[in-house]
Amino acid sequence: MTRASLDKQPADVAAMFDRTAERYDLLNSLMTGGQDRRWRRAVRRALDVRDGELVLDLAAGTGTSSVPFTEAGARCVACDFSLGMLRVGTRRNGGGPAAGRLGFVAGDALRLPFADGSFDAVTISFGLRNVADTGQALRELLRVTRPGGRLLVCEVSRPPNPLLRLGHRLHLRYGLPLLAKASSNPDSYTYLAESTLAWPDQAALAGLLGDAGWEAVRWRDLTFGVVALHQGRRPA
């Protein structure tokens, strides 16, 4: 797969992440200048997980985004459709401090392998734009969340400032393709740039959450709006 679109083929996207699994977390840190760690801390604080709660971290990859929830005392299921990412995550976290609180499950965001109302909180970071049907994924997350449970989506977004938005778009159009040429897996960089450019802005994503049935939807920008946190609650 060399072009990103909103009608993504799950097998192609999964294969792309399989190929980058070993270096995925390192590449994330390099591409974001270390901001990914700050974003994970913001997700943990915003979701406000509590001791003993059960959290679903969808599109969790190697589980790097899941560990902060276990550090807060919660149990966490790291779910992803890339078996390569799950294998790396299982190997890295099998004997670490998260062992016993963190489990890895292969699953499709459009048909989650969990019963209705299973989780106290659900979250997805930088994975919602990778699914073939955003609305269906949000409805599935709603289904597996208990009444009154919480949702947090951390995803790329659009800086409100026009100059910053222009600079961001130029970076995606011209900067990332240069990285792609020097990379051993150029498709992943091309996909990242194109999927980000095609992704809806903050207000449009909030509308999608509301349409899927989430209530009390709100968002907060991080890093000048390059990334945004969207929160919602399943109606009680």
Side-chain angles (χ1 to χ4, degrees):
M1 181 183 65
T2 57
R3 305 294 293 178
S5 67
L6 293 181
D7 55 344
K8 305 164 188 72
Q9 298 301 313
D12 292 335
V13 179
M16 180 187 68
F17 282 107
D18 287 345
R19 291 191 296 271
T20 62
E22 287 290 348
R23 303 177 64 206
Y24 180 78
D25 295 319
L26 173 61
L27 291 173
N28 266 353
S29 291
L30 291 175
M31 286 190 299
T32 66
Q35 288 294 304
D36 58 318
R37 293 187 290 273
R38 175 173 172 262
W39 297 335
R40 284 196 294 273
R41 290 194 297 269
V43 167
R44 172 180 165 175
R45 289 193 299 267
L47 197 58
D48 189 27
V49 297
R50 296 140 202 172
D51 188 50
E53 286 192 321
L54 182 60
V55 178
L56 171 63
D57 186 11
L58 185 57
T62 63
T64 301
S65 60
S66 309
V67 170
F69 304 126
T70 67
E71 293 172 342
R75 293 173 296 128
C76 185
V77 175
C79 182
D80 203 282
F81 68 165
S82 166
L83 296 179
M85 297 282 268
L86 293 172
R87 290 189 190 101
V88 172
T90 301
R91 187 180 73 242
R92 290 179 180 173
N93 294 286
R101 290 185 177 271
L102 176 60
F104 290 86
V105 175
D108 182 351
L110 305 184
R111 294 179 298 276
L112 291 173
F114 308 110
D116 296 357
S118 297
F119 298 94
D120 299 294
V122 296
T123 183
I124 180 169
S125 293
F126 305 108
L128 192 58
R129 73 184 188 282
N130 296 328
V131 302
D133 187 333
T134 303
Q136 175 62 17
L138 291 172
R139 289 189 293 271
E140 272 292 275
L141 285 169
L142 184 78
R143 179 184 66 78
V144 301
T145 305
R146 66 166 177 80
R150 311 179 307 281
L151 163 75
L152 191 140
V153 176
C154 179
E155 191 52 271
V156 297
S157 200
R158 299 184 188 178
N161 182 286
L163 290 177
L164 288 176
R165 186 163 60 247
L166 175 61
H168 187 229
R169 290 182 68 86
L170 290 174
H171 169 66
L172 292 171
R173 287 191 181 278
Y174 303 108
L176 281 183
L178 290 176
L179 287 175
K181 291 180 180 179
S183 169
S184 60
N185 187 13
D187 285 356
S188 61
Y189 287 93
T190 303
Y191 177 85
L192 172 64
E194 295 186 355
S195 63
T196 300
L197 288 167
W199 189 244
D201 65 12
Q202 292 90 321
L205 180 55
L208 292 175
L209 266 67
D211 291 343
W214 294 96
E215 67 177 16
V217 174
R218 62 192 187 278
W219 75 82
R220 175 166 64 93
D221 288 339
L222 300 177
T223 317
F224 307 107
V226 170
V227 167
L229 299 181
H230 281 71
Q231 294 178 259
R233 183 177 65 243
R234 177 173 175 175

